[in-house]
Amino acid sequence: MSGSKNKDLAPLYICQDINVYISELTAKDKSIAFILDEGRQAYIFCFEGSINIDQYPSLKERDSLKIYGQAHMEFTLTSDKAHFIIIEMQQEKSD
């Protein structure tokens, strides 16, 4: 699901500045990379298994994490398999 940034690549287009990625890891020797751009934020929720994220806390089943600003994340397994979602959007403005 994607907003205008990737609307030609995503199967579902929404009229919001948001991108949603659902991922599955099933092999301990594989990883998934994700780059968060400056001015963006990401909410990561692990709904099955557990994952390790470089330089960030590991997430177990039902754990979540919010990341602000530019970041390069590498997701790897810490269990037999894992499913997680990344919701990426414009960074919230602080008053």
Side-chain angles (χ1 to χ4, degrees), residues 54-69:
D54 280 358
Q55 305 172 20
Y56 296 97
S58 294
L59 299 180
K60 295 179 184 168
E61 194 166 310
R62 298 187 184 136
D63 283 347
S64 62
L65 175 68
K66 191 183 272 190
I67 298 173
Y68 296 93

Side-chain angles (χ1 to χ4, degrees), residues 16-80:
Q16 296 294 319
D17 185 9
I18 187 172
N19 297 295
V20 179
Y21 307 93
I22 299 174
S23 295
E24 174 184 38
L25 276 168
T26 57
K28 291 198 177 200
D29 62 339
K30 302 290 183 188
S31 65
I32 296 173
F34 184 78
I35 297 173
L36 184 63
D37 293 331
E38 188 66 40
R40 307 293 287 172
Q41 67 184 38
Y43 176 77
I44 303 160
F45 178 74
C46 182
F47 50 90
E48 181 182 25
S50 58
I51 53 175
N52 184 49
I53 310 168
D54 280 358
Q55 305 172 20
Y56 296 97
S58 294
L59 299 180
K60 295 179 184 168
E61 194 166 310
R62 298 187 184 136
D63 283 347
S64 62
L65 175 68
K66 191 183 272 190
I67 298 173
Y68 296 93
Q70 190 172 13
H72 181 274
M73 294 167 264
E74 195 78 27
F75 296 85
T76 55
L77 275 174
T78 57
S79 62
D80 291 335

